[in-house]
Amino acid sequence: LVPSDPTGLCWYDCAMAVSGDGKTVVLGAISINQSAGAAYVFHRGATGWSQEARLVASDGAPMDRLGYSVALTFDGSTLLVGAPGKEYRTGAVYFFQRTGAGWVERQELQGNNGSGSAFFGAAAALSFDGSTALVGASDLGGAALVFRRGASGWSETAILRGTVNPLFNLGGAVALSA
């Protein structure tokens, strides 16, 4: 799968997510546009694979590294894209939703400043139905932050962390079960 607009140095294999039915693939490209980054959505139809969307953050800036992590729900309708370089490595995660006309950015998630971590968005996972997200913040000892999706959007519900040790990098990888 090759994006329709490959420009400059691109790391298309930085992050990848596949829907449960295998018909949607998302690839992160953190080096696009002065490392602002992008995520490319591909869909498999009756005639093969085609690029469905090129997603960028509405407030993207150089060095945000959008696409460092990606997570997709089982049905391929909900997508989280991590940008751990945003705001001097504080980080953010963007929630995109598939609509009849394509993909729409719905919300920007940021970690609780009290988490004691940075590089929020280094890893992301979504539950089967898209109601729960787990986001890794892998700097400064690290943490994993739990978000729940309600009628008014996503809200942080818990911070998970181990022994605070700058060498541990907790939150560098996360996963959720169905």
Side-chain angles (χ1 to χ4, degrees):
L1 302 176
V2 178
S4 60
D5 64 341
T7 57
L9 176 63
C10 302
W11 296 338
Y12 295 112
D13 59 346
C14 180
M16 182 177 83
V18 181
S19 64
D21 62 5
K23 292 184 177 181
T24 304
V25 171
V26 179
L27 302 175
I30 63 173
S31 295
I32 293 289
N33 196 20
Q34 297 177 332
S35 295
Y40 292 88
V41 181
F42 295 88
H43 185 75
R44 185 180 66 194
T47 60
W49 288 95
S50 63
Q51 182 177 318
E52 185 176 80
R54 177 186 189 269
L55 305 175
V56 296
S58 58
D59 63 347
M63 301 309 295
D64 281 357
R65 301 174 78 187
L66 183 75
Y68 192 91
S69 63
V70 294
L72 191 61
T73 53
F74 185 84
D75 67 0
S77 66
T78 301
L79 172 63
L80 293 180
V81 183
K86 183 179 175 70
E87 298 294 327
Y88 306 104
R89 295 179 46 145
T90 299
V93 171
Y94 293 85
F95 161 49
F96 292 91
Q97 192 166 27
R98 178 181 271 144
T99 66
W103 288 86
V104 176
E105 180 185 321
R106 296 283 188 206
Q107 187 176 352
E108 177 184 337
L109 308 178
Q110 294 183 338
N112 180 333
N113 289 338
S115 70
S117 298
F119 218 54
F120 177 78
L126 278 167
S127 61
F128 181 87
D129 64 356
S131 64
T132 304
L134 187 60
V135 179
S138 65
D139 241 1
L140 306 174
L145 291 81
V146 179
F147 289 82
R148 300 264 188 222
R149 187 166 132 191
S152 61
W154 292 93
S155 59
E156 184 181 314
T157 59
I159 300 172
L160 310 172
R161 65 179 125 230
T163 305
V164 177
N165 181 327
L167 301 177
F168 286 169
N169 289 337
L170 179 73
V174 296
L176 285 171
S177 67

